[in-house]
Amino acid sequence: MKVPFVSLNTINKALKVEAMKALEEVYDSGWYIMGDKLQAFEKAYSHYCETDYCIGVANGLDALHIALKTLDIGLNDEVIVPSNTYIASALAVSFTGAKPVFVEPNENTYNINPSLIEDKITSKTKAILPVHLYGQACEMDLIIELAEKYNLNIVEDNAQAQGAMYRNMKTGSMGIINGTSFYPGKNLGALGDAGAITTNSSELDKKARSWRNYGSPQKYYNDVLGFNSRLDEIQAALLTLKLEHLDKWIIVRQRIAARYLNNLGKCDWLKLPVTAQNATHVYHLFVITTVQRDKLQAYLQKNGIDTLIHYPLPPHLQQAYKHLNLIKGDLPIAEKLANECLSLPMYIGLTDQEVDYVCDIILKFGNEI
Ligand SMILES: *Cc1c(COP(=O)(O)O)cnc(C)c1O
């Protein structure tokens, strides 16, 4: 049996007629940027996130970058970022001129360990940027408490967790201003690059709208050296359509995860993802860890199963971040996860049979080591 790591075929086929109609409407309208479709999506997505405002932008990296710019974060500032994340979370900070300060994750949830944050707060710290990694909401209680105590802003990176919750709060609604991504493979994916900012602040909403459009609150008048980072009508129309299905897709992802967890529950040589109390997990990725990772990955590949590693090298060890002067051993938990994590196939359309097959091969591997 062949099992791809991810496939958009099932969703694409199911929505084809509606999607083509939506695309045709945009095509025929003759209006492709900053129009009705964007407005409709911003309204629908802010409603979904339970925030007052949503600002569509060109991608997730821009969403985070612009979110930080609206808070006037820049040179000489520091922002707390998890050491275990996709590099975009750190890059958004660096682009403002501020310094990303890495905090280690909890080894079981893979998310930032809130109890390690306070030690990293300095007089320069301006914000905490929790990343709801792999689809699980971060444990926000202590993060919110620290933000209040030290007067810091929270900016959520919600690129992987649209629809997740912490207590009764949606991810993307807990920070003062937050960013998300609709990269095609994300839980809510566009037909190309797309992203959004969410906030409850009308002031930050206005600033973000200006930043995404040349720093121009009014056509041909520019307040700041803004960006061109707009979410186009085609993507907005498609995302509005897909958003209606997101909750149903999350349940499908959670069912697949439950099947993995059940089938692999007895494997003592690997670790399964753990969901923290009061958090929900929307399983953008299903990530296991084992010291046998490379051998397991090769074994699965030999049996037709594609897997990926999220992520093989943490941001602090990337060439791009050598100026931070961090070396191997400085953030050992992130480094360990990078060596041991493996993402199993997870997508809408993955069948029970396929999940069982993946698990059988993993169990077989376990019997051979
Ligand atoms: C995908 C992703 C981003 C960036 O999104 P793009 O749309 O690719 O720019 C940021 N943070 C995390 C955690 C992501 O997974």
Side-chain angles (χ1 to χ4, degrees):
M1 197 188 280
K2 280 232 175 299
V3 186
F5 176 73
V6 68
S7 162
L8 302 174
N9 285 343
T10 301
I11 286 181
N12 286 351
K13 271 194 199 134
L15 296 185
K16 185 158 181 181
V17 174
E18 280 176 278
M20 290 305 127
K21 204 175 133 240
L23 298 189
E24 194 177 355
E25 238 177 74
V26 175
Y27 187 92
D28 289 342
S29 77
W31 191 277
Y32 307 115
I33 280 175
M34 306 283 266
D36 299 349
K37 304 293 180 197
L38 175 62
Q39 258 188 24
F41 176 69
E42 288 177 338
K43 193 166 165 220
Y45 192 70
S46 63
H47 184 257
Y48 184 81
C49 290
E50 299 171 3
T51 58
D52 291 341
Y53 305 97
C54 165
I55 305 97
V57 294
N59 57 65
L61 174 59
D62 284 1
L64 294 169
H65 183 197
I66 291 172
L68 294 164
K69 294 298 280 183
T70 65
L71 298 170
D72 300 319
I73 287 169
L75 218 59
N76 298 319
D77 293 336
E78 293 179 356
V79 176
I80 305 270
V81 176
S83 55
N84 181 45
T85 185
Y86 180 54
I87 195 161
S89 320
L91 281 180
V93 174
S94 301
F95 285 173
T96 67
K99 180 179 156 189
V101 174
F102 297 109
V103 168
E104 289 270 67
N106 174 312
E107 252 185 277
N108 299 316
T109 65
Y110 314 131
N111 270 334
I112 193 165
N113 183 339
S115 63
L116 301 178
I117 292 175
E118 193 161 15
D119 266 357
K120 298 286 181 92
I121 294 174
T122 71
S123 58
K124 294 181 174 178
T125 310
K126 290 286 160 13
I128 305 173
L129 195 146
V131 181
H132 307 297
L133 200 68
Y134 309 147
Q136 179 175 182
C138 291
E139 295 175 88
M140 295 300 295
D141 285 349
L142 185 55
I143 296 176
I144 292 167
E145 203 181 300
L146 289 170
E148 278 167 10
K149 180 171 168 191
Y150 292 96
N151 198 21
L152 307 175
N153 290 304
I154 294 173
V155 178
E156 292 172 75
D157 179 343
N158 196 30
Q160 301 191 357
Q162 293 113 4
M165 315 262 292
Y166 185 74
R167 296 193 186 276
N168 58 351
M169 298 170 288
K170 278 267 175 77
T171 56
S173 75
M174 295 176 272
I176 180 120
I177 184 164
N178 315 293
T180 195
S181 163
F182 308 117
Y183 176 84
K186 298 280 158 75
N187 285 15
L188 179 62
L191 286 185
D193 280 312
I197 294 163
T198 49
T199 181
N200 285 319
S201 156
S202 67
E203 187 200 333
L204 295 181
D205 169 67
K206 281 195 198 81
K207 278 181 156 181
R209 279 177 201 287
S210 164
W211 274 107
R212 77 163 171 196
N213 190 26
Y214 289 107
S216 174
Q218 187 192 345
K219 211 168 168 81
Y220 306 129
Y221 291 86
N222 307 78
D223 291 352
V224 289
L225 304 177
F227 309 115
N228 175 355
S229 182
R230 300 174 298 220
L231 176 60
D232 65 70
E233 293 288 286
I234 284 191
Q235 301 303 345
L238 206 94
L239 286 166
T240 303
L241 180 68
K242 283 182 136 184
L243 182 60
E244 287 174 34
H245 300 266
L246 182 58
D247 281 337
K248 182 180 75 194
W249 291 336
I250 287 172
I251 291 168
V252 173
R253 286 177 179 277
Q254 288 169 335
R255 283 207 192 117
I256 292 169
R259 199 167 185 95
Y260 273 130
L261 291 168
N262 185 54
N263 288 356
L264 300 173
K266 291 207 178 74
C267 291
D268 53 7
W269 55 275
L270 60 76
K271 274 176 75 174
L272 296 167
V274 174
T275 305
Q277 227 183 358
N278 303 317
T280 70
H281 201 319
V282 295
Y283 293 101
H284 171 56
L285 297 169
F286 189 91
V287 180
I288 63 169
T289 62
T290 167
V291 289
Q292 309 281 350
R293 193 268 311 275
D294 292 343
K295 279 188 193 148
L296 174 61
Q297 185 175 36
Y299 192 85
L300 288 165
Q301 192 64 74
K302 214 178 63 192
N303 285 281
I305 299 161
D306 296 339
T307 58
L308 284 177
I309 294 168
H310 297 92
Y311 300 91
L313 192 65
H316 73 280
L317 297 180
Q318 297 284 352
Q319 179 76 10
Y321 275 119
K322 64 178 190 297
H323 58 276
L324 293 179
N325 294 317
L326 291 164
I327 57 167
K328 228 178 184 160
D330 282 345
L331 295 160
I333 302 175
E335 292 166 24
K336 183 168 182 274
L337 288 175
N339 291 327
E340 297 183 3
C341 69
L342 187 68
S343 306
L344 303 182
M346 170 58 81
Y347 54 89
I348 307 304
L350 186 66
T351 64
D352 286 353
Q353 273 162 312
E354 287 168 326
V355 173
D356 292 349
Y357 174 68
V358 173
C359 295
D360 286 346
I361 298 297
I362 293 174
L363 294 172
K364 209 165 137 211
F365 173 83
N367 289 332
E368 289 175 19
I369 52 170

